[in-house]
Amino acid sequence: MLYIVLLLTLVIMIKSVHDYFRKSEQARNSFSAEHFYGLMLIYITVTIGFGLIYFLLSQLGIPILTEGYLQGNSQLERLGHAIYFSGVTLLTVGYGDITPLGIGKWIALAEALMGYILPAAFVVHAFYLQSRQNEAGDERKTYRNYDY
């Protein structure tokens, strides 16, 4: 059952990032509050998703984070620690109070890379959409100048 939840979490995270960057160009034609809220929603989704991955792997008995943070406390408290670690890792803050172990190091590395690349991809995508909108506007202007 935990493997199914783990797989579902991965699918939701990947789908949300994919859908954000594949939205129609008409809906997002320039930098706006909608872009900002979309990026924030992606960050929240990815943070919770990776937090669930850390938590679920620890539930399977795989050592993921330093001793004590995902063992012995209530389930809700352990989930909170996992999401906290995920947020600190995604935002590349890295306080050092919780450190990954074993496979958790590779998962944290992938999450940090995603946190590092997301803002750059967001800006590049916004400029790309803006340039496409400008090109479409130029084509309409050119078309209107011809007498048919």
Side-chain angles (χ1 to χ4, degrees):
M1 177 65 177
L2 289 177
Y3 288 112
I4 293 170
V5 175
L6 186 63
L7 183 61
L8 185 62
T9 301
L10 283 171
V11 168
I12 290 171
M13 286 183 351
I14 292 168
K15 179 100 172 94
S16 67
V17 172
H18 178 267
D19 287 350
Y20 177 76
F21 286 106
R22 294 289 178 202
K23 255 183 158 180
S24 69
E25 293 179 20
Q26 294 81 21
R28 298 186 348 209
N29 54 13
S30 64
F31 185 82
S32 65
E34 181 185 352
H35 285 278
F36 177 75
Y37 295 133
L39 184 63
M40 290 303 295
L41 187 60
I42 293 296
Y43 267 104
I44 291 168
T45 302
V46 171
T47 298
I48 292 171
F50 272 101
L52 284 172
I53 289 170
Y54 297 126
F55 177 73
L56 293 171
L57 289 175
S58 74
Q59 291 295 101
L60 293 171
I62 300 170
I64 294 294
L65 302 179
T66 51
E67 293 295 323
Y69 282 103
L70 293 181
Q71 288 84 22
N73 300 325
S74 70
Q75 296 282 54
L76 189 59
E77 196 172 342
R78 292 190 295 181
L79 179 61
H81 285 298
I83 291 174
Y84 162 78
F85 175 74
S86 176
V88 168
T89 301
L90 183 68
L91 298 173
T92 64
V93 175
Y95 291 123
D97 54 342
I98 303 175
T99 55
L101 302 170
I103 187 91
K105 291 180 179 182
W106 294 103
I107 297 169
L109 182 63
E111 183 180 10
L113 180 63
M114 182 177 254
Y116 189 72
I117 291 174
L118 265 176
F122 168 76
V123 170
V124 167
H125 190 67
F127 279 117
Y128 169 75
L129 291 177
Q130 185 65 39
S131 69
R132 295 270 315 237
Q133 181 187 14
N134 290 343
E135 288 173 8
D138 290 343
E139 288 174 9
R140 284 193 297 266
K141 288 176 189 174
T142 305
Y143 180 73
R144 280 187 238 147
N145 289 336
Y146 290 109
D147 291 330
Y148 289 104

